[in-house]
Amino acid sequence: MDFGAVLQTNPPSARTVQLARLAEDHGFSHVWTFDSHLLWQEPYVIYSKILAETRKVIVGPMVTNPATRDWTVTASTYATLNEMYGNRTICGIGRGDSAVRVTGGEPTTLKTLRESVHVIRELANSRSVEYNGATLQFPWSHGSSLDVWVAAYGPLALKLAGEVGDGFILQLADLDIAEWMITTVRNAAATVGRDPLSVKFCVAAPMYIGPDTPESVAHMRDQCRWFGGMVGNHVADIVAKYGADSNVPTALTDYIAGRADYDYNEHGRAGNTHTQFVPDEIVDRFCLLGTAEQHIEKLQKLKAIGVDQFAGYLQHDNKEETLRVYGETVIPAMSDHILAKS
């Protein structure tokens, strides 16, 4: 299993770069960031600095969208970073949430998402593509390589991820929901003749290392409760489109019954005031909280159902310690063990 760290590009940018270096030092293979250009600093600029100050780590957004950025500009950015630093980028993409809603827009259609995945991937892989009635290609790009991973929750978006995604991003760590979504994506891939196992699966959720005491557990839950509110935005879209009685697991949809208005000024922030509707049970199911042993136990279950990467959000007050314990205990425990002599 690969491991990623998910960061916000809060100022100072040097802090984001520092955490990215620390993640690589502790064995993380990926560094992801939010992509919401009004709420936080511009991530692609910071990626260049991260890549310059690291050796192997792969960087990308979790997630970008087709609405706020021109697709050809997005592809050019990736191809340029790949030329500068070697092929160390990845594109996570979805229909859009905070980046579009803060500016008064709406998530894109799935048709637009599908088209953008194709255009970005072809151009960023040094290939030509048909776009707006013309054949386009970067004449300066040679050997660039980019995987595009699709973030999804709803049935049609999961179908799209299986049909066109190099990978699938699920932003929650509930085992039952993850298993249902992985099965749905793999079935969609098989239906269009793709190898279902060729689609990589990333589960992304807050990770917080702390002792298993009542006081510590309460604190960890409060630090990570924001995540249920963020996921709730997408769940509310699903319920609005498909109704409460769709085939989407009720384990995903039921908890938003008490959801009120959402304040994007507090989006993705620990201690925000508008996610108190998220019950403790959801925090426990959606996140990884507790001792290293408790993290390892849940990660082993995720790996068993087909998860290739766990990407841990670090929007809390225990970033360095969580990275340290993952590097010294969790990641080694999840690695394949090879004997020097047998």
Side-chain angles (χ1 to χ4, degrees), residues 228-248:
M230 185 185 81
V231 173
N233 295 330
H234 302 284
V235 175
D237 288 343
I238 293 170
V239 172
K241 182 170 184 175
Y242 298 100
D245 299 323
S246 70
N247 65 337
V248 178

Side-chain angles (χ1 to χ4, degrees), residues 16-75:
T16 305
V17 176
Q18 176 197 30
L19 288 169
R21 289 198 308 265
L22 190 60
E24 181 179 69
D25 289 344
H26 284 305
F28 288 77
S29 60
H30 290 69
V31 170
W32 305 85
T33 74
F34 286 62
D35 177 12
S36 197
H37 57 288
L38 282 175
L39 297 180
W40 303 292
Q41 292 180 315
E42 170 57 38
Y44 289 95
V45 177
I46 296 175
Y47 295 160
S48 189
K49 185 70 170 174
I50 292 172
L51 290 167
E53 296 194 13
T54 54
R55 304 176 308 280
K56 298 185 296 183
V57 75
I58 296 168
V59 303
M62 187 173 285
V63 296
T64 193
N65 69 84
T68 57
R69 301 180 185 275
D70 181 273
W71 309 345
T72 62
V73 175
T74 296

